Amino acid sequence: MSRIVVTGGLPLCGELNAPGAKNAALPILAACLLAHHPVRLLGCPKLTDVANMVELLRTLGCSVNWDGDVLNIDSRSAQCHEMPEHLSKALRSSIFLLGPMIGKFKRAVANFPGGCDIGVRPIDLHIAALNALGVSIEESHGSIICEGSNLKGAAIHLDYPSVGATENAIMAAVAAKGETTIQNAAREPEVVHLQEFLCKLGYTVNGAGSSTIYIKGGCTPKTAEHRIMADRIVAGTYLCAAAITAGDITMRGIVPEQLGSIVGKLKECGCEVITESELIRVKGPKRPRELKRVETMPYPGFPTDMQAQIFALCTIADGTSMIVENVFENRFRHASELARMGAESCINGRIAVIRGVKTLTGTRVDAKDLRGGAALVLAGLRAEGETEVCGAEHISRGYEAIETALSSLGAKIRREP
Ligand code: UD1
């Protein structure tokens, strides 16, 4: 257990390079099981979730070594088709290993995954996609037992464009015989990034970024070196820090189009935004205007992973804002913590109405999940006095040394055990 202590009231100014994206790194790490040669992954973020995935790969028999921010992965000797229960429960993304494990070993045993407690998070779409590819799946006492000796290409239609189910289906389909199409696929940039990686390994995948993805089973094995794409959510979070502190922050090394919906909302609340080819600069207003309606949606809609941070911004807006959370059903747990700092909001199911207040007051609050924790840090940057965010280990799942990054922008912030 650790906590982050912030003294608010300082405008944050400066530049940051966006780190590698967790949500890109995790499926790509899983996909390394499908590599026929060693792989070098550059710019891997050092996060708890990544460390857990590395541990999972090692228990399956892969050799995985860090060299600075490069991960060297050799999966040629991997033989184990069972995920250890404690690791698969600790990490929601352990589910991504199902597709690659079935691809490599033709069978897999996993447990129902854990991760942030932000709703029910079922895996029915993953299972339906794997079933369509000829995998038989038995669920017993919390274990998922998959048998995939008849893995074959199929036409898959996802009932919802789930990011994880799309990625899992792609990773199983590359190892199947024949052709697969995935309709109503997730269009997130991280899916495109996975496609690029698999193509580097020698697989045939195209269409990612659109709603239909085409996969031809089979591989012409290649050695791959791949740089993990920049984290659009971490970048968005730090840009929100400029908006909430009346600061001036430049994020470098990003693809600005991937932050289109976030930038749109920052402009709407009165930020000045400058966009160049690989950079976004945000200058925050003295006090942000309210946001009439923010609705989370699959990409390119407003990301659910930025909802808590934009919520924090709305708490000090000059007016009343509304947020509709369409993706996860239990993702407003930051609201009650922000209320302890003086925020005023009312939650009804998936809708939050937030009446902006002039000042927040620092106090002790609990991070209940990853992005909610980041939102509390943002609120602390604006609040009068000292805010203690307990449960900082949630934040470490998605932000590498958030205190170091924010200190470099002028924040008074420290982490305590
Ligand atoms: C990924 C991201 C996560 C982000 C989410 C939505 C990673 C590692 N994580 O999670 O940060 O918040 O996308 O952008 O990339 N669903 C089902 N059945 C399933 C799968 C999903 O009903 O089998 C539902 C979920 O409960 C949720 C919605 O679909 O309501 C979206 O989930 P999904 O897109 O799958 O999110 P993840 O891949 O888990």
Side-chain angles (χ1 to χ4, degrees):
M1 298 286 273
S2 64
R3 57 191 186 147
I4 288 174
V5 184
V6 195
T7 306
L10 299 169
L12 300 199
C13 299
E15 295 193 358
L16 284 176
N17 279 318
K22 163 178 94 74
N23 288 353
L26 293 172
I28 284 179
L29 278 166
C32 286
L33 260 191
L34 296 165
H36 294 91
H37 293 295
V39 173
R40 268 169 67 77
L41 294 181
L42 283 64
C44 248
K46 287 204 167 131
L47 300 166
T48 332
D49 276 9
V50 170
N52 280 337
M53 183 59 98
V54 164
E55 235 8 77
L56 265 169
L57 287 173
R58 285 187 180 138
T59 54
L60 299 181
C62 300
S63 133
V64 190
N65 296 301
W66 282 102
D67 177 8
D69 69 350
V70 178
L71 263 179
N72 294 304
I73 300 157
D74 187 347
S75 64
R76 286 173 299 181
S77 53
Q79 279 176 338
C80 175
H81 69 281
E82 285 190 31
M83 279 186 234
E85 189 177 339
H86 68 285
L87 282 174
S88 63
K89 282 192 170 157
L91 181 68
R92 160 108 188 142
S93 312
S94 59
I95 191 77
F96 293 134
L97 278 165
L98 273 190
M101 281 167 83
I102 295 164
K104 188 173 175 80
F105 308 122
K106 304 292 174 261
R107 56 194 178 144
V109 178
N111 293 91
F112 278 96
C116 272
D117 184 10
I118 54 174
V120 180
R121 306 193 89 174
I123 56 165
D124 53 323
L125 300 169
H126 298 250
I127 289 182
L130 293 172
N131 277 154
L133 292 167
V135 180
S136 65
I137 300 175
E138 241 182 78
E139 292 168 46
S140 114
H141 305 291
S143 292
I144 310 161
I145 302 152
C146 307
E147 205 285 319
S149 45
N150 288 323
L151 199 59
K152 56 180 186 309
I156 299 172
H157 184 280
L158 294 176
D159 287 341
Y160 181 88
S162 150
V163 179
T166 302
E167 292 173 333
N168 224 348
I170 296 174
M171 292 189 282
V174 292
K177 282 200 194 95
E179 292 180 14
T180 297
T181 54
I182 307 171
Q183 284 187 316
N184 199 25
R187 292 184 286 160
E188 268 68 1
E190 292 76 13
V191 179
V192 180
H193 199 64
L194 176 65
Q195 167 177 289
E196 284 165 13
F197 177 65
L198 288 167
C199 292
K200 279 190 186 169
L201 294 184
Y203 292 100
T204 310
V205 185
N206 57 71
S210 79
S211 305
T212 309
I213 299 177
Y214 306 91
I215 300 126
K216 208 168 140 207
C219 186
T220 315
K222 291 181 193 152
T223 311
E225 183 172 287
H226 190 70
R227 178 166 289 279
I228 301 295
M229 65 180 269
D231 197 316
R232 60 195 169 96
I233 304 300
V234 170
T237 303
Y238 292 139
L239 293 176
C240 260
I244 205 167
T245 65
D248 180 351
I249 296 177
T250 300
M251 287 305 305
R252 292 188 177 275
I254 52 170
V255 181
E257 302 83 75
Q258 295 176 353
L259 283 94
S261 60
I262 301 166
V263 163
K265 289 299 161 198
L266 292 177
K267 283 184 180 162
E268 201 181 315
C269 75
C271 293
E272 193 184 322
V273 182
I274 299 161
T275 299
E276 287 172 24
S277 68
E278 288 191 357
L279 144 180
I280 299 179
R281 177 176 177 186
V282 170
K283 293 188 206 173
K286 274 218 160 63
R287 189 172 176 200
R289 286 193 295 270
E290 80 280 13
L291 292 173
K292 293 267 182 273
R293 191 181 180 93
V294 183
E295 272 204 59
T296 66
M297 273 179 231
Y299 187 84
F302 190 86
T304 175
D305 282 354
M306 279 299 298
Q307 180 261 107
Q309 302 88 313
I310 217 80
F311 192 121
L313 182 61
C314 292
T315 62
I316 50 114
D318 189 6
T320 300
S321 308
M322 180 166 80
I323 301 183
V324 186
E325 173 56 67
N326 289 309
V327 181
F328 291 105
E329 75 276 14
N330 185 22
R331 213 171 188 181
F332 284 130
R333 299 202 311 159
H334 39 280
S336 54
E337 297 305 303
L338 288 165
R340 294 163 70 170
M341 301 174 72
E344 293 184 10
S345 69
C346 168
I347 312 289
N348 188 353
R350 291 177 178 271
I351 299 175
V353 176
I354 305 142
R355 200 173 73 88
V357 292
K358 272 206 176 118
T359 43
L360 295 172
T361 313
T363 183
R364 190 185 160 136
V365 286
D366 279 320
K368 305 225 166 117
D369 57 57
L370 160 56
R371 306 301 170 187
L376 295 174
V377 172
L378 290 179
L381 291 168
R382 172 79 183 207
E384 281 177 357
E386 211 172 69
T387 302
E388 261 179 57
V389 183
C390 301
E393 58 282 359
H394 286 293
I395 302 173
S396 310
R397 290 190 35 235
Y399 298 84
E400 196 176 335
I402 193 171
E403 65 280 12
T404 312
L406 291 172
S407 292
S408 77
L409 300 171
K412 211 170 156 213
I413 184 169
R414 63 182 192 277
R415 184 182 291 253
E416 289 179 355

